[in-house]
Amino acid sequence: MPLPPTTVPPGDQTPAAGVRARSAGDRTVAVDRGGRDDACPGALRLHPAHDGALARIRLPGGLLTGRQARALAEVAEELGDGRVELTSRGNLQLRGLAEGCGARLADRLRTAGLLPSDAHDRVRNIVASPLSGLDGAGHADVPAWARELDTLLCTAGSGELSGLSGLSGLSGRFLFALDDGRGDVAALGADVTLLATPGGGAVLRMGSAGSAGATGPVLRVTAAGDAPRAAALAALEFLTRAEESGIRAWRVRDLPPQHAVMAQGLAARLAEAGIALGPDPDIAGGPEGAHSAPGPAPGPVAGPDGRHTLSVAVPLGRMSAAQWRLLAALASRDGTDELRVTPWRGVVLPGFTPEDGRTAAAELAAAGLVTDPRSPWLGVGACTGLPGCAKSLADVRADAGRTVASAVASGEPRTVPLPVYFSGCERRCGHPGGRWVDALATGVGYRITVRGAPDTTGASEDPDGVDVTAEQVADAVAAARGTR
């Protein structure tokens, strides 16, 4: 049975003084972290871009209904540039928003159930294993965890949740990852990660893990039902440490060593809340190899009940409102009326019969979306670039498209090689984690660099890279990805 993918907390959550309103307890944290809020965009705080305002709409766990998806398509066409963007955190963005449309946008999102709490809009950053409960793998129903954690974030400070007061002080960059045990979103470097374990329970990790181990404590939560509350309390422990540090710490890795979250302090906070802990985990919070987790491959995914889930990739994470509306229509017509946006800029549609899944895949492919696991678009990403971003030095999306076309024309092996990400400036907004090829615009071409931890063959990061012209970038990228 599909879970309703939104959380609508009781009561009036409208902030008292505009979209930046916070409770009295949260103001202390904001002041102690530098006296100003972070600039991460949201549904209420629009970001001024070269092509108009940008809104980022949080989808905890990537979950939404067909009705909500159709409402977003209408908003994109009526208020924005008619397109929908998928982010590396499983959220959505609308671009090209007209000046002065903020109030209308907020009203439309509230009506659709996509803005349950004004005060907590930007803290609802939750990624979850997108195939959880659909393919027979994994050890927990993490969409249910996502719903419960979202409720805790949005209603913190009220009633029985008064002990969680202050969570609206999290920055828009703070990330929760809920992994059902398969190790996909556990590899995304979240600030708080829950990794489901066999037989119930979860590993709770703070900070990302790498070759040197976790950057924060790793504890074992005995009961799966306590996992979402443990994640919320871990975030509160981070806020306490950030407040004590007196510096602006948006994420766990920003905390100075003398104010780092410690296992003893976190365990005490959890015990005080009645959360039982088991023996120390014998893993560092889950698998996290040299490559970033690939996410679901495009195409049908068989489930144990005979139903199929359809995994769809979106080239460069951007689609037209018509393409987005088609996804919503297929989810409602042949699926469970649920869409799951993935952190790999894709969409998962559950609940198809095998025949309906094949028909839907053909419709989506004809509309320009990817349902073939051998597509040359896989692993290729890009920031906004010109003309949408004034800081960009190139039209990186066009150059990425030409690189894909070159791969098709040259007959490169149809496998998924090392990811490549085209960036218009040094900020590299939205780039992947793990090991990847960095194609950075320089104004006269691109600098191609392999970044990330050494892979299983022992190949290490190339700190210098190679400078190429725009005409040479396709060949240089193919060489760096290992396809030529």
Side-chain angles (χ1 to χ4, degrees):
M1 177 182 298
L3 293 167
T6 54
T7 301
V8 182
D12 181 10
Q13 296 286 346
T14 304
V19 301
R20 296 179 63 180
R22 299 181 182 274
S23 69
D26 297 332
R27 289 195 191 98
T28 303
V29 174
V31 171
D32 286 345
R33 283 171 14 191
R36 64 179 178 83
D37 208 350
D38 72 284
C40 199
L44 297 174
R45 171 172 293 175
L46 306 186
H47 172 71
H50 199 55
D51 58 349
L54 177 151
R56 184 171 299 157
I57 300 158
R58 266 69 177 184
L59 302 176
L63 305 169
L64 74 167
T65 65
R67 178 185 67 83
Q68 290 172 322
R70 288 188 289 274
L72 283 172
E74 293 175 0
V75 170
E77 290 178 325
E78 295 173 18
L79 301 181
D81 64 3
R83 293 178 291 189
V84 177
E85 291 186 346
L86 282 58
T87 78
S88 60
R89 291 183 166 195
N91 295 319
L92 298 178
Q93 289 185 165
L94 302 179
R95 301 188 68 93
L97 296 166
E99 184 178 354
C101 77
R104 283 184 293 158
L105 173 64
D107 287 342
R108 298 281 287 273
L109 295 177
R110 291 190 193 99
T111 299
L114 292 168
L115 185 56
S117 169
D118 288 17
H120 301 83
D121 168 35
R122 295 183 302 144
V123 309
R124 303 167 66 228
N125 294 302
I126 306 171
V127 295
S129 299
L131 291 179
S132 180
L134 302 176
D135 62 350
H139 308 301
D141 179 11
V142 294
W145 283 2
R147 283 173 42 78
E148 184 174 347
L149 178 56
D150 189 30
T151 298
L152 293 171
L153 292 174
C154 289
T155 59
S158 62
E160 296 180 359
L161 302 178
S162 58
L164 297 176
S165 177
L167 286 176
S168 63
L170 292 172
S171 80
R173 309 175 195 181
F174 195 91
L175 179 64
F176 297 90
L178 312 181
D179 193 302
D180 69 358
R182 71 185 69 214
D184 52 1
V185 298
L188 299 182
D191 297 282
V192 175
T193 298
L194 288 174
L195 183 75
T197 54
V203 169
L204 171 67
R205 183 183 76 205
M206 293 205 68
S208 60
S211 59
T215 60
V218 180
L219 303 175
R220 186 183 297 278
V221 178
T222 303
D226 286 335
R229 194 157 53 100
L233 288 166
L236 197 62
E237 181 71 8
F238 159 77
L239 286 173
T240 300
R241 302 281 81 79
E243 181 177 356
E244 290 176 352
S245 74
I247 69 166
R248 185 172 62 252
W250 304 127
R251 306 197 63 186
V252 168
R253 64 171 177 254
D254 298 332
L255 290 171
Q258 65 271 29
H259 293 285
V261 177
M262 305 301 292
Q264 183 177 3
L266 177 57
R269 185 182 288 270
L270 297 179
E272 185 179 0
I275 296 177
L277 299 178
D280 290 343
D282 57 2
I283 56 175
E288 190 164 352
H291 292 264
S292 55
V301 180
D305 59 355
R307 290 276 169 170
H308 280 197
T309 293
L310 187 57
S311 175
V312 185
V314 180
L316 302 183
R318 179 183 289 178
M319 70 186 97
S320 68
Q323 290 172 315
W324 179 248
R325 192 177 280 112
L326 175 60
L327 285 166
L330 291 172
S332 299
R333 187 189 75 192
D334 300 324
T336 59
D337 197 40
E338 179 182 82
L339 298 85
R340 300 185 181 185
V341 178
T342 80
W344 300 276
R345 296 182 171 90
V347 181
V348 164
L349 306 177
F352 289 79
T353 66
E355 182 178 356
D356 286 342
R358 288 190 292 269
T359 301
E363 289 185 56
L364 291 165
L369 299 174
V370 176
T371 58
D372 182 350
R374 301 171 301 162
S375 170
W377 279 108
L378 298 184
V380 179
C383 69
T384 297
L386 291 175
C389 178
K391 292 183 172 63
S392 180
L393 299 175
D395 185 348
V396 293
R397 302 178 76 85
D399 290 333
R402 283 189 283 271
T403 298
V404 170
S406 174
V408 173
S410 66
E412 290 177 13
R414 298 187 74 190
T415 59
V416 182
L418 206 60
V420 59
Y421 197 80
F422 288 75
S423 300
C425 74
E426 295 278 357
R427 295 185 303 166
R428 299 176 174 86
C429 297
H431 73 76
R435 188 168 173 80
W436 56 289
V437 175
D438 176 18
L440 175 67
T442 61
V444 294
Y446 283 84
R447 179 170 297 118
I448 310 300
T449 309
V450 177
R451 299 194 178 277
D455 63 19
T456 55
T457 67
S460 59
E461 177 173 311
D462 173 11
D464 299 321
V466 57
D467 290 314
V468 299
T469 66
E471 291 73 22
Q472 298 169 324
V473 68
D475 288 337
V477 164
R481 299 182 81 191
T483 57
R484 290 185 197 171

